[in-house]
Amino acid sequence: MVLASSSVGAVLVAVALAVAGCGDPSSSEGQTTRISRTPVDRAVPGGPVTRVLAVSIDGLRASAITQLGRAGTPTLHRLMAQGASTLNARTEREMTVTLPNHTGMVTGRRIAASQGGHGVSWNDDRRRPPTVQRAAGHDVSSVFRVVHDANRGTALFASKTKFSLFERSWDVGIDSYRMRFDNARLARMTQRDLLRHNRGFTFLHLSGPDDAGHARGWNSPAYLAAVRATDRRLGRIVRTINGHPRLKQHLALLVTADHGGSGKGHSDATRLVDFRVPFVVWGPTVARGAGLYALNPDYANPGHRRTTYADARQPVRNGDVANLALDLLGLGAVPGSEHDRAQDLDWN
Ligand SMILES: [Zn+2]
């Protein structure tokens, strides 16, 4: 059999990606450390990041990615092979439900208002308190407001109605808010928006896995099918980014989840399956195939532990989204925030 040299190259690249990708989280961290330290990967190509897209996959437990493997979640695997990631990030400590964790992602705060948190401890459409600020009892800023104040556009695409809390709380900071239950449609809207507008920060929430988990169980075929479908939606967005140099060269992508789940729920904040989530950083200047814990000795891989906010070395948290996004954009931290407040979570 004769292979054209380009085919051989493609095969070698595929093998290299397979080696760099994830399997067991701890072993992949080990493998990827070596890769991320090589000079060629240090000299990461790409201009300055001027745009960030944060994608939260509702109810995506980290083990679903390893369980489905590269065949079932090719996009997530590609992002991990080409970016910096961990499958052992943490949610907020207090609660493993949607609205409190997403509020943490956009404010960089813990939940408990009595300890400087954002105070959003409910997970429904209630209108009292009407805003995050009223829940906290004081002003609470967000990544939306900071980016908007830097004269960069922002957008929020959500697939649950309770996200209207964010629009009420940061009505000036969020330039465009769209809610659609239909995840496919919402992802397409986000794609179009990325092309039509030059926004500094875009947040996309996809509910598919959580919807299926509640209906059929977190380990059901329906749940795994929803994770696969979400990976395909993410794949179309990544292809859009790759197909447009102005996105490819200037947009960083963050992917995480609000919580995992087991059985038909996810509200037990003491359970590993609920509080362990993935966290992926991908884009220009991001180390290829790196483990976030290997890149960040100031942070500690918590193993199977549930962590506290008092730990000297914090885990990577989904609540790092706000300040990591701002750091990527060259903007300072969200005032009053806690997670990655020093903006010392490195991506290369
Ligand atoms: Zn849920």
Side-chain angles (χ1 to χ4, degrees):
M1 188 172 81
V2 177
L3 283 174
S5 61
S6 62
S7 302
V8 175
V11 170
L12 292 177
V13 168
V15 170
L17 292 178
V19 170
C22 85
D24 171 68
S26 53
S27 68
S28 75
E29 299 270 352
Q31 285 181 343
T32 54
T33 304
R34 177 179 53 74
I35 292 163
S36 71
R37 300 289 179 196
T38 58
V40 66
D41 287 310
R42 277 296 178 188
V44 188
V49 171
T50 57
R51 308 180 62 176
V52 172
L53 168 64
V55 179
S56 171
I57 302 175
D58 201 318
L60 176 63
R61 69 180 192 190
S63 60
I65 298 173
T66 36
Q67 187 179 346
L68 284 167
R70 186 174 308 275
T73 50
T75 307
L76 286 164
H77 277 77
R78 198 175 315 125
L79 294 176
M80 289 188 288
Q82 298 174 352
S85 66
T86 176
L87 293 179
N88 200 26
R90 290 291 180 266
T91 63
E92 301 272 42
R93 173 181 163 80
E94 303 98 318
M95 301 179 79
T96 48
V97 291
T98 296
L99 198 56
N101 271 276
H102 282 91
T103 312
M105 289 181 211
V106 300
T107 64
R109 291 177 185 254
R110 68 174 74 186
I111 296 172
S114 62
Q115 304 187 39
H118 53 67
V120 176
S121 56
W122 66 92
N123 190 35
D124 53 34
D125 285 290
R126 73 187 65 178
R127 296 295 177 115
R128 304 233 173 273
T131 63
V132 177
Q133 292 79 11
R134 290 284 289 277
H138 51 75
D139 188 42
V140 177
S141 188
S142 69
V143 57
F144 297 112
R145 192 191 278 173
V146 174
V147 172
H148 178 88
D149 286 354
N151 295 312
R152 306 301 318 279
T154 67
L156 168 60
F157 295 86
S159 44
K160 287 181 175 173
T161 52
K162 53 190 144 193
F163 281 81
S164 64
L165 171 70
F166 294 178
E167 196 198 17
R168 292 194 298 278
S169 301
W170 301 291
D171 55 343
V172 173
I174 299 176
D175 296 304
S176 174
Y177 169 60
R178 300 293 194 79
M179 203 299 293
R180 294 287 186 284
F181 292 117
D182 183 336
N183 280 212
R185 199 162 158 217
L186 190 71
R188 283 197 300 274
M189 288 168 65
T190 306
Q191 257 168 267
R192 279 198 299 274
D193 193 85
L194 287 173
L195 292 172
R196 284 179 189 166
H197 300 276
N198 183 24
R199 304 187 196 279
F201 182 76
T202 302
F203 193 103
L204 168 62
H205 161 260
L206 293 171
S207 66
D210 186 71
D211 296 337
H214 285 297
R216 310 288 290 279
W218 251 258
N219 213 14
S220 65
Y223 172 77
L224 295 174
V227 174
R228 276 193 222 98
T230 305
D231 187 275
R232 285 195 295 274
R233 280 171 198 133
L234 190 58
R236 285 191 278 275
I237 291 173
V238 170
R239 277 198 294 284
T240 297
I241 295 167
N242 283 334
H244 294 81
R246 70 180 192 278
L247 292 174
K248 174 72 176 162
Q249 292 166 15
H250 298 289
L251 183 142
L253 172 61
L254 310 180
V255 182
T256 188
D258 52 352
H259 53 73
S262 68
K264 289 188 175 177
H266 52 73
S267 57
D268 186 344
T270 69
R271 296 191 60 174
L272 180 66
V273 284
D274 290 353
F275 64 61
R276 180 164 68 184
V277 290
F279 198 107
V280 183
V281 190
W282 175 88
T285 78
V286 179
R288 289 179 69 92
L292 276 171
Y293 288 110
L295 286 176
N296 288 280
D298 295 347
Y299 287 70
N301 188 328
H304 286 184
R305 279 189 312 115
R306 182 184 179 209
T307 59
T308 76
Y309 297 125
D311 293 349
R313 291 195 301 153
Q314 285 291 301
V316 175
R317 288 190 190 278
N318 56 10
D320 292 333
V321 162
N323 285 333
L324 177 57
L326 293 172
D327 197 5
L328 281 157
L329 293 168
L331 299 172
V334 179
S337 62
E338 173 177 13
H339 304 318
D340 192 24
R341 178 175 51 190
Q343 295 184 304
D344 55 4
L345 181 60
D346 296 326
W347 58 86
N348 59 31

XYZ file of all heavy atoms in Angstrom, residues 58-59 96-98 123 160 162 210-211 214 218 258-260 264-266, ligand 1:
145
model
N -24.864 22.453 30.563
C -25.621 22.189 31.792
C -25.662 20.691 32.089
O -26.106 19.893 31.259
C -27.051 22.725 31.600
C -27.763 22.976 32.914
O -27.635 22.146 33.831
O -28.459 24.004 33.001
N -25.169 20.313 33.268
C -25.254 18.914 33.682
C -24.219 18.002 33.050
O -24.350 16.772 33.127
N -24.738 22.513 43.993
C -24.448 21.985 42.660
C -25.711 22.053 41.791
O -26.176 21.044 41.255
C -23.942 20.534 42.751
O -24.824 19.784 43.610
C -22.543 20.477 43.324
N -26.257 23.234 41.695
C -27.422 23.457 40.840
C -27.158 24.641 39.914
O -26.192 25.388 40.092
C -28.710 23.675 41.667
C -29.119 22.374 42.362
C -28.528 24.789 42.664
N -28.040 24.806 38.944
C -27.744 25.641 37.783
C -27.566 27.132 38.070
O -26.512 27.708 37.771
C -28.857 25.452 36.723
O -28.811 24.090 36.302
C -28.655 26.358 35.525
N -32.962 28.230 42.468
C -32.723 27.676 41.138
C -34.025 27.592 40.365
O -34.375 26.557 39.817
C -32.072 26.287 41.272
C -31.588 25.768 39.933
O -31.137 26.538 39.080
N -31.683 24.449 39.732
N -32.490 28.354 29.410
C -33.445 28.254 30.508
C -33.908 29.667 30.858
O -33.107 30.603 30.870
C -32.803 27.585 31.734
C -32.595 26.078 31.568
C -31.981 25.427 32.798
C -31.909 23.910 32.627
N -31.169 23.245 33.732
N -34.688 31.022 33.609
C -34.223 31.654 34.849
C -33.033 32.577 34.638
O -32.713 33.386 35.508
C -33.913 30.601 35.907
C -32.982 29.502 35.496
C -32.984 28.399 36.574
C -32.847 27.026 35.967
N -33.144 25.931 36.889
N -28.570 18.215 30.826
C -29.332 18.324 32.074
C -30.782 17.912 31.860
O -31.364 17.181 32.674
C -29.270 19.768 32.586
C -29.922 19.914 33.958
O -29.328 19.418 34.939
O -31.012 20.496 34.046
N -31.368 18.365 30.767
C -32.760 17.994 30.460
C -32.904 16.470 30.383
O -33.822 15.888 30.963
C -33.191 18.617 29.122
C -33.197 20.142 29.158
O -33.296 20.710 30.265
O -33.092 20.763 28.079
N -32.369 14.675 33.918
C -33.543 14.715 34.802
C -34.641 13.773 34.306
O -35.312 13.118 35.098
C -34.097 16.136 34.885
C -33.272 17.041 35.737
N -33.086 16.835 37.084
C -32.553 18.156 35.428
C -32.303 17.788 37.583
N -31.963 18.595 36.599
N -28.738 10.183 34.680
C -27.444 10.705 34.222
C -26.577 9.662 33.528
O -25.578 9.989 32.930
C -26.685 11.365 35.377
C -26.650 12.841 35.190
C -25.589 13.579 34.721
C -27.695 13.779 35.428
N -25.934 14.904 34.633
C -27.218 15.055 35.059
C -29.009 13.667 35.879
C -27.990 16.208 35.166
C -29.780 14.824 35.984
C -29.273 16.067 35.636
N -22.020 23.510 34.918
C -22.483 24.019 36.220
C -22.476 22.940 37.302
O -22.384 23.232 38.485
C -23.879 24.646 36.087
C -24.884 23.712 35.397
O -24.476 22.640 34.874
O -26.075 24.074 35.366
N -22.583 21.673 36.873
C -22.617 20.548 37.805
C -22.646 19.270 36.991
O -22.852 19.309 35.767
C -23.854 20.610 38.718
C -25.142 20.749 37.947
N -25.693 19.710 37.233
C -25.948 21.815 37.735
C -26.796 20.123 36.637
N -26.977 21.408 36.907
N -22.440 18.133 37.681
C -22.600 16.840 37.020
C -23.978 16.293 37.323
O -24.972 16.998 37.167
N -31.400 10.768 38.801
C -32.118 11.790 38.035
C -31.928 13.183 38.637
O -32.769 14.065 38.485
C -33.601 11.439 37.938
C -33.839 10.247 37.010
C -35.317 10.015 36.765
C -35.520 8.890 35.733
N -36.927 8.584 35.505
N -30.827 13.368 39.353
C -30.609 14.670 39.965
C -29.141 15.006 40.128
O -28.262 14.238 39.717
N -28.890 16.155 40.740
C -27.505 16.620 40.888
C -27.355 17.582 42.046
O -26.420 18.376 42.077
C -27.042 17.298 39.600
C -28.001 18.365 39.120
N -28.123 19.586 39.735
C -28.905 18.369 38.109
C -29.041 20.299 39.112
N -29.544 19.589 38.126
Zn -30.706 20.250 36.556
